[in-house]
């Protein structure tokens, strides 16, 4: 099924001139642009000039000492025997001209590593005493989406530059290691690459804010902007186009064909069936909604243990909140909600098991001592509900450490945990009410209970499936007939503390969403990663007897070095199966975007995807299934950029006799199925009943890898590799 047309943030343009005269030199000159090695070979193959040159530079249309003028066509049509400038050289030329145009009108400009022009337009900064700049990127490309030259216009976030130079007293106690980009006289430089003139004029050098500098200055994070990102993004690029790209001066550089954004070619658009497949619940029943499916049929799989006990860990000032949460769990506070009714786990607490600590700043020693003095039954699963005085990712690093170390402390004792931020429950005022009840021995007791907002009812619907998954159950799965396929997710996270990459892997799922287990590795442990993947393949084959396909969801393109031990291991297991690698851009696409102009919010329907060529796709994965039922609070996530690699099974069979068109059609259908699978795995995120915009095969590994580097010990205990304790 093909979706409605999408409008892209692309403009077609035509070359102003049929030929261009450039000045080339084999010597590095000030202001000259170095051409790529392929461009040098391109010139050497076509001209007798520069045969001995090791590098080639150009000042484009400005002559310089020792340069040689060379004329070339801008289009190869009709000029087979004459020099035609390569796309690479033309891209550098237009990038150079565009950067000059914006500098001439007084806007800061920087060219990034892929030769995009980034323009900084002044705007209001969210930080006081800083100057804000809205960043826009312009990329020249040729026949990527259409058959014509293209100008891609994208809007970035707001960059803020301090109003105080690096020589000011405010910056005197800040280490230069926190400086990255700087502004000097409307020019943007990287601090480590600043020229001598900048170094000699420190009073005119203004550092741009980054995460390290923000923390060093003690600046709090502003409240993020919410709302419809598509509408905001569209308005930004539309205003930028009208103000800067529709002028006569810009037309001297390139002639925009219509000055209108182009529509995606219809043959590049398709739609998956990602949300039409029902989810699987208890007793083999299905439903499209996670919440209603749980309420009606119960979870797909219950935990293996039949005994579960809950207890609370909290600061003594939050004891009223612990009493209220207890009422929430057993159904007293919200009659429509209780754990047994939703996830079919009996809710029970044990006397004197809960822990109230006094030191809010460093509660870990108290909690550890209390845990050592508690008796935990070996035949019972335990769930600790931690009422955290701080947000999970607070401003102060020591508060974050409490969260991570407490998780580790409980995990090593085989105790699962659910963290709830008390500030989100108390609100601005700590309201309590006094009530009288009878305890377990029948005595009448008076307790104070917190007054919490009714909206917490909706949070409980998310907390319940998360706790079930941590205890080893499966809230819901995927209804899939292809039960002999394995999907493994690998993600990455760079620790800000030690600067090392961590891999959250291998998260191993069957194609119907059953979790087989996971592990965590350092980035250099390629063989260990492959060994873990193969261990799950072997386990799967022993249980299912057959495996027809292995799909790896990777956070980047898989290299031959990383794939080689996996292929070797499959061969050693006697498996001749295809391996598909679906690679994800870790950040949502903020360069090429498609807008559905027929909808007021502009966001395309979930499952819509745009082919970018070379097995690369732009995939929309959101909650917009039916316009009549879509709610704005579901969010407006940007699409993912995905690329697909196929490594067919190595066999001794003769080469297929299928024609090329049949092979291409089959390849497209396989890739369609893989994109469909990505959307499916976005629906088994058991931390929330809301559909996610990233599959759990990528989301879970990253969540894991954000916690493990903060552990006191670098390993994960064996029992911690079988349940989703980090949700």
């Amino acid at each position: 099924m093909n979706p409605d047309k999408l409008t892209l943030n692309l403009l077609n343009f035509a070359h102003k001139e049929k030929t261009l005269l450039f000045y080339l030199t084999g010597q590095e000159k000030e202001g000259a642009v170095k051409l790529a090695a392929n461009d040098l070979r391109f010139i050497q193959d076509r001209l007798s000039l520069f045969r001995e040159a090791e590098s080639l530079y150009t000042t484009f249309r400005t002559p310089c000492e020792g340069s040689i003028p060379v004329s070339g066509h801008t289009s190869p049509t009709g000029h087979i025997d004459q020099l035609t400038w390569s796309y690479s050289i033309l891209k550098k030329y237009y990038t150079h001209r565009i950067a000059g145009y914006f500098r001439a009108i007084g806007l800061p400009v920087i060219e990034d590593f892929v030769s995009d022009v980034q323009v900084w337009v002044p705007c209001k900064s969210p930080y006081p005493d800083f100057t804000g700049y809205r960043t826009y990127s312009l990329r020249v490309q040729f026949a990527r989406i259409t058959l014509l030259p293209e100008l891609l216009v994208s809007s970035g976030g707001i960059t803020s530059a301090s109003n105080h130079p690096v020589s000011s007293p405010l910056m005197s106690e800040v280490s230069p290691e926190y400086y990255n980009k700087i502004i000097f006289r409307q020019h943007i430089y990287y601090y480590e690459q600043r020229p001598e003139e900048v170094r000699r004029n420190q009073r005119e050098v203004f550092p741009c804010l980054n995460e390290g500098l923000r923390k060093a200055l003690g600046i709090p994070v502003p409240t993020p902007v919410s709302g419809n990102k598509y509408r905001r993004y569209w308005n930004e690029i539309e205003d930028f186009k009208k103000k800067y790209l529709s002028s006569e001066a810009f037309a001297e550089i390139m002639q925009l064909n219509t000055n209108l954004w182009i529509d995606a070619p219809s043959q590049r658009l398709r739609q998956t069936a990602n949300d039409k497949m029902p989810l699987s619940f208890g007793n083999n029943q299905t439903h499209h909604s996670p919440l209603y499916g749980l309420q009606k049929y119960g979870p797909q799989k219950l935990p293996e243990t039949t005994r579960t006990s809950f207890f609370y860990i909290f600061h003594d000032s939050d004891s009223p909140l612990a009493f209220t949460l207890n009422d929430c769990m057993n159904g007293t506070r919200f009659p429509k909600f209780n754990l047994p009714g939703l996830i079919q786990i009996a809710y029970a607490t044990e006397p004197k098991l809960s822990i109230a600590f006094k030191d809010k700043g460093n509660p870990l020693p108290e909690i550890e001592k209390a845990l050592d003095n508690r008796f935990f039954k070996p035949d019972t699963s335990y769930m600790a509900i931690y009422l955290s005085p701080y947000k999970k990712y607070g401003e102060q690093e020591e508060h974050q450490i409490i969260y991570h170390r407490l998780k580790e402390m409980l995990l090593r004792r085989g105790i699962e945990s659910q963290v709830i931020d008390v500030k989100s429950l108390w609100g601005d005022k700590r309201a309590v009410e006094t009530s009288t009840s009878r305890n377990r021995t029948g005595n009448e007791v008076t307790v104070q209970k917190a007054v919490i907002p009714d909206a917490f009812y909706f949070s409980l619907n998310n907390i319940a499936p998360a706790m079930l998954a941590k205890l080893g159950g499966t809230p819901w799965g995927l209804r899939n007939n292809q039960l002999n396929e394995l999907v493994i997710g690998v993600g990455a996270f760079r620790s800000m503390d030690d600067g090392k990459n961590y891999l959250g892997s291998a998260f191993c799922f069957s194609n119907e969403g059953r979790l087989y287990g996971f592990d965590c590795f350092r980035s250099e442990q390629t063989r260990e990663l492959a060994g873990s993947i193969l261990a799950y393949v072997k386990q799967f084959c022993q249980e299912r007897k057959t495996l027809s396909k292995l799909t790896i969801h990777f956070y980047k393109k898989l290299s031959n070095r990383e794939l080689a031990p996996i292929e070797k291991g499959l061969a050693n297991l006697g498996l001749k199966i295809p391996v598909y690698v679906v690679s994800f851009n870790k950040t949502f696409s903020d360069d090429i975007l498609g807008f559905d102009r027929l909808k007021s919010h502009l966001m395309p329907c979930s499952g819509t995807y745009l082919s970018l060529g070379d097995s690369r796709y732009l995939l929309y994965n959101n909650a917009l299934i039916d316009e009549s039922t879509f709610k704005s609070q579901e969010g407006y996530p940007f699409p993912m950029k995905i690329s697909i690699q196929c490594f067919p099974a190595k066999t001794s069979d003769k080469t297929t006799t299928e024609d090329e068109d049949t092979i291409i059609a089959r390849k497209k259908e396989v890739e369609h199925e893989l994109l469909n699978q990505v959307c499916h795995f976005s629906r088994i995120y058991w931390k929330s009943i809301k559909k996610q915009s990233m599959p759990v095969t990528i989301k879970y590994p990253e969540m894991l890898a954000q916690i493990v580097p903060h552990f006191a010990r670098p390993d994960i205990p064996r029992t911690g590799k079988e349940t989703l304790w980090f949700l």
Side-chain angles (χ1 to χ4, degrees):
M1 179 178 72
N2 288 341
D4 295 327
K5 69 178 183 179
L6 297 184
T7 300
L8 307 178
N9 56 332
L10 280 176
L11 298 166
N12 281 136
F13 72 90
H15 300 291
K16 287 284 294 182
E17 301 169 72
K18 294 183 179 180
T19 61
L20 289 170
L21 182 70
F22 292 157
Y23 290 88
L24 307 179
T25 175
Q27 302 297 319
E28 184 175 2
K29 303 284 184 179
E30 183 177 354
V33 175
K34 184 178 181 180
L35 300 183
N38 288 341
D39 294 329
L40 172 60
R41 290 191 291 271
F42 175 83
I43 298 296
Q44 290 174 335
D45 290 345
R46 287 159 178 78
L47 303 173
S48 58
L49 305 171
F50 310 110
R51 290 292 186 187
E52 305 300 323
E54 296 183 359
S55 298
L56 192 61
Y57 303 83
T58 178
T59 50
F60 294 113
R61 310 188 76 169
T62 303
C64 64
E65 183 179 354
S67 63
I68 298 175
V70 177
S71 180
H73 292 278
T74 54
S75 174
T77 305
H79 310 290
I80 299 176
D81 297 328
Q82 302 177 40
L83 177 66
T84 300
W85 295 118
S86 67
Y87 284 161
S88 174
I89 295 175
L90 288 174
K91 177 179 173 68
K92 286 183 170 62
Y93 166 69
Y94 283 115
T95 298
H96 177 77
R97 291 288 307 276
I98 292 171
Y101 163 75
F102 283 102
R103 287 195 179 102
I105 59 178
L107 295 180
V109 174
I110 188 171
E111 297 177 39
D112 64 20
F113 66 97
V114 292
S115 296
D116 289 358
V117 176
Q118 191 178 91
V119 183
W120 291 19
V121 179
C123 68
K124 183 179 179 180
S125 171
Y127 301 94
D129 213 15
F130 278 77
T131 298
Y133 295 90
R134 172 75 65 185
T135 61
Y136 295 88
S137 292
L138 294 96
R139 178 183 304 163
V140 176
Q141 56 190 39
F142 298 90
R144 291 283 184 88
I145 303 296
T146 67
L147 299 177
L148 300 172
E150 301 161 355
L151 179 65
L152 188 148
V153 184
S154 59
S155 172
I158 295 178
T159 295
S160 296
S162 175
N163 293 335
H164 300 274
V166 295
S167 60
S168 68
L170 179 66
M171 299 294 175
S172 62
E173 297 183 4
V174 176
S175 171
E177 67 178 307
Y178 296 119
Y179 298 150
N180 186 17
K181 291 179 181 177
I182 56 174
I183 294 183
F184 173 76
R185 297 175 184 173
Q186 295 300 91
H187 285 263
I188 305 167
Y189 299 97
Y190 287 98
Y191 186 77
E192 294 297 332
Q193 301 172 6
R194 64 197 189 283
E196 184 174 346
E197 182 184 14
V198 178
R199 297 173 62 190
R200 291 182 179 275
N201 292 275
Q202 298 291 308
R203 294 181 180 179
E204 298 179 74
V205 177
F206 299 91
C208 297
L209 198 64
N210 55 61
E211 186 65 11
L213 183 58
R214 183 190 65 77
K215 289 183 177 180
L217 293 173
I219 301 174
V221 177
T223 302
V225 179
S226 58
N228 186 344
K229 295 191 293 184
Y230 284 86
R231 174 59 63 185
R232 187 167 61 248
Y233 192 103
W234 174 266
N235 291 338
E236 288 165 2
I237 62 172
E238 182 71 6
D239 290 345
F240 183 84
K241 182 192 70 172
K242 290 178 180 178
K243 187 172 183 178
Y244 299 108
L245 306 183
S246 301
S247 67
E248 293 183 4
F250 192 80
E252 290 300 314
I253 301 173
M254 56 177 58
Q255 184 64 54
L256 301 180
N257 285 8
T258 63
N259 208 30
L260 296 176
W261 306 106
I262 67 172
D263 290 333
S266 58
Q267 67 271 20
R268 287 180 175 266
L269 284 174
R270 285 193 70 181
Q271 181 85 31
T272 72
N274 70 90
D275 291 286
K276 294 182 179 179
M277 178 183 290
L279 299 171
S280 177
F281 294 91
N283 298 316
N284 208 29
Q285 298 296 314
T286 62
H287 202 286
H288 284 84
S289 166
L291 178 59
Y292 297 131
L294 272 179
Q295 291 175 339
K296 192 171 183 179
Y297 304 116
Q300 183 192 54
K301 175 180 173 291
L302 295 174
E304 292 184 5
T305 179
T306 58
R307 296 181 180 180
T308 304
S309 183
F310 295 77
F311 67 98
Y312 292 83
I313 301 175
F314 54 92
H315 185 257
D316 54 10
S317 66
D318 292 320
S319 59
L321 195 56
F323 281 110
T324 300
L325 284 176
N326 184 68
D327 287 348
C328 291
M329 296 299 173
N330 63 28
T332 302
R333 175 65 176 83
F334 300 109
K336 291 184 178 180
F337 174 88
N338 62 79
L339 282 184
L342 189 62
I343 57 175
Q344 298 176 356
I345 292 180
Y347 176 76
T349 58
E350 292 186 25
K352 299 182 180 181
L353 200 59
S354 293
I355 300 170
F357 57 85
K358 297 183 180 300
D359 188 348
K360 187 181 293 187
N362 182 24
L364 295 177
E366 284 184 73
I367 296 173
E368 185 169 30
K369 183 178 180 180
L371 288 172
D372 289 340
N373 292 328
R374 300 293 194 270
F375 174 70
F376 296 99
K377 302 171 185 176
D379 60 347
T380 302
S381 294
Y382 289 91
M383 171 65 70
I385 300 177
Y386 172 51
L387 307 184
S388 173
Y390 310 105
K391 291 184 178 181
K392 181 177 178 180
Y393 297 109
E395 285 301 300
Q396 299 184 31
E397 186 177 335
E398 57 266 28
H399 295 164
Q400 297 181 37
I401 289 295
I402 293 172
Y403 167 82
H404 296 123
R405 295 291 169 83
L406 180 59
K407 277 278 188 184
E408 179 185 13
M409 187 185 299
L410 294 168
L411 184 64
R412 295 196 184 282
R413 289 170 168 81
I415 301 171
E416 300 296 335
S417 58
Q418 178 66 43
V419 180
I420 299 176
D421 173 19
V422 301
K423 291 182 179 180
S424 64
L425 286 176
W426 280 117
D428 297 331
K429 296 181 180 180
R430 287 181 167 240
V432 297
E433 57 187 10
T434 303
S435 64
T436 302
S437 61
R438 295 191 180 276
N439 61 17
R440 298 174 190 267
T441 60
N443 296 323
E444 190 174 86
V445 294
T446 300
V447 297
Q448 285 189 324
K449 297 183 180 181
V451 179
I452 63 174
D454 291 341
F456 185 63
Y457 169 79
F458 301 102
S459 298
L460 289 170
N461 289 324
N462 292 325
I463 291 173
M467 289 198 296
L468 175 70
K470 293 173 183 179
L471 291 167
T474 303
W476 57 84
L478 300 171
R479 172 71 73 181
N480 203 312
N481 294 325
Q482 302 296 325
L483 301 181
N484 57 345
E485 298 179 4
L486 204 56
V487 183
I488 296 178
V490 180
F493 171 74
R494 176 177 288 275
S495 171
M496 296 298 292
D497 297 327
D498 59 14
K500 295 180 180 178
N501 286 325
Y502 289 81
L503 294 182
S505 181
F507 269 75
C508 182
F509 292 87
S510 64
N511 201 33
E512 70 269 25
R514 173 189 165 185
L515 175 68
Y516 273 74
F518 57 88
D519 212 332
C520 187
F521 300 98
R522 296 291 184 112
S523 58
E524 66 270 14
Q525 292 180 301
T526 303
R527 292 190 179 278
E528 289 84 349
L529 168 62
S532 181
I533 292 174
L534 293 169
Y536 286 119
V537 168
K538 188 174 182 179
Q539 176 187 346
F540 185 90
C541 291
Q542 289 174 345
E543 180 180 315
R544 301 287 181 95
K545 306 303 180 184
T546 181
L547 177 63
S548 62
K549 182 172 70 176
L550 173 62
T551 302
I552 301 175
H553 288 178
F554 217 58
Y555 71 98
K556 63 181 182 66
K557 291 200 75 172
L558 197 66
S559 68
N560 290 332
R561 180 180 66 87
E562 292 162 323
L563 180 69
I566 299 175
E567 286 188 317
K568 182 178 179 181
L570 292 175
N572 291 339
L573 292 174
L575 295 174
K576 297 178 180 179
I577 59 172
V579 178
Y580 297 96
V581 179
V582 182
S583 305
F584 295 78
N585 188 328
K586 285 192 63 179
T587 57
F588 291 110
S589 173
D590 59 357
D591 46 21
I592 187 166
L593 279 176
F595 303 85
D596 190 338
R597 301 288 302 282
L598 299 178
K599 297 182 174 66
S600 60
H601 51 67
L602 301 178
M603 185 173 72
C605 288
S606 184
T608 301
Y609 65 89
L610 171 70
S611 172
L612 303 176
D614 299 325
S615 296
R616 297 179 302 115
Y617 295 92
L618 193 69
L619 173 64
Y620 291 84
N621 189 27
N622 51 56
L624 179 56
I625 312 303
D626 187 329
E627 192 71 37
S628 63
T629 59
F630 175 71
K631 298 177 181 179
S632 59
Q633 56 263 37
E634 298 284 350
Y636 300 89
F638 279 170
M640 295 175 282
K641 262 192 172 180
I642 293 175
S643 63
I644 297 174
Q645 299 166 274
C646 174
F647 302 92
K650 294 183 178 180
T651 67
S652 58
D653 297 339
K654 294 182 179 180
T655 305
T656 178
T657 57
E658 293 179 331
D659 59 62
E660 186 175 353
D661 290 342
T662 302
I663 294 174
I664 292 175
R666 178 176 295 178
K667 178 173 176 287
K668 287 183 177 180
E669 281 308 304
V670 169
E671 292 177 352
H672 175 83
E673 292 173 5
L674 292 171
L675 294 174
N676 204 32
Q677 186 182 70
V678 168
C679 295
H680 288 165
F681 273 79
S682 301
R683 302 181 68 198
I684 53 174
Y685 179 70
W686 298 317
K687 190 177 181 179
S688 171
I689 57 175
K690 290 184 178 180
K691 182 191 173 184
Q692 301 300 298
S693 50
M694 284 285 281
V696 295
T697 43
I698 294 297
K699 203 171 183 73
Y700 282 174
E702 186 170 283
M703 292 170 65
L704 175 72
Q706 286 175 333
I707 298 176
V708 172
H710 300 282
F711 279 5
R713 289 162 51 185
D715 65 307
I716 301 175
R718 182 187 60 80
T719 55
K721 299 178 183 180
E722 298 169 354
T723 62
L724 299 172
W725 53 267
F726 53 84
L727 290 181

